[in-house]
Amino acid sequence: MSYLWSFAGLAIGLFGLYSWYVETYTDSPIAALWREMGDRNDRTTSGDSLSPLFISTGISLSALGAMLSNLVPNIRIILISFLSIAYVGIALMVIGFICFFPFPVPRWADARYQYMKRHGMLDKNGDPIDVDEEADPPR
C-alpha cells in the first residue's frame, strides 16, 4: 500500500512541476486560466511564484525517496542515501511554504515578469513600461 501512496505523491509532484512550468513560461489557455485563478499576474502576490515549484519538487523527491527505500534491500548505506533524498524533499516543502510570505523572487521564476517579457511590456532595462507615460509623453 505504501507503494501506491509513493506513486501518487510522485504523480502529484510531477504534475505540480508541469503546471508551474506551463503557468510561468507559456501563454496557453490553461496557463492563462491558472494565472487568473492564482493571481500570478498581480503585483502584490507575485512573491509566491516559487512556492509551487518548491512544494512540487519536495513532494516528488519525498515520494521518490520513500519509494526507493521500500524497493531496495535493507542495506544501511543505500537506505541513508534514499532517506537523504526524502529529507531534502521535506526541506524544499518547508521552503515552499515560506515562499508564501511577500519576499521578492528572481525574474526567471516570476510568472508576471515572464508574461510581460513575452508580450513586450518591458523597457530595455527589463522594468515594466508604465502605460500612462507611454500614452501621454512629457512636453
Side-chain angles (χ1 to χ4, degrees):
M1 190 66 170
S2 65
Y3 297 115
L4 182 62
W5 286 110
S6 297
F7 182 74
L10 187 63
I12 289 169
L14 292 176
F15 177 75
L17 287 171
Y18 170 76
S19 65
W20 174 83
Y21 174 80
V22 168
E23 182 180 345
T24 303
Y25 295 110
T26 67
D27 283 331
S28 65
I30 192 72
L33 174 68
W34 287 339
R35 276 192 298 269
E36 185 66 31
M37 287 172 41
D39 288 334
R40 294 280 189 254
N41 286 337
D42 188 11
R43 184 182 305 255
T44 59
T45 60
S46 66
D48 64 350
S49 295
L50 283 178
S51 59
L53 172 66
F54 284 138
I55 292 172
S56 298
T57 304
I59 290 172
S60 297
L61 286 177
S62 297
L64 183 66
M67 187 183 302
L68 291 176
S69 67
N70 287 331
L71 289 176
V72 247
N74 289 333
I75 301 172
R76 185 177 295 279
I77 192 72
I78 295 174
L79 287 178
I80 289 173
S81 64
F82 292 150
L83 289 176
S84 298
I85 292 172
Y87 287 140
V88 168
I90 291 170
L92 283 174
M93 284 190 279
V94 169
I95 292 169
F97 285 112
I98 291 172
C99 285
F100 282 118
F101 295 116
F103 297 127
V105 296
R107 289 182 169 177
W108 63 265
D110 189 4
R112 182 178 156 269
Y113 176 81
Q114 293 297 327
Y115 178 83
M116 294 173 85
K117 181 176 155 184
R118 282 192 304 272
H119 293 284
M121 301 168 75
L122 302 172
D123 63 7
K124 62 183 176 187
N125 296 330
D127 297 324
I129 297 173
D130 191 11
V131 178
D132 295 333
E133 287 181 10
E134 294 293 321
D136 188 27
R139 297 176 197 239

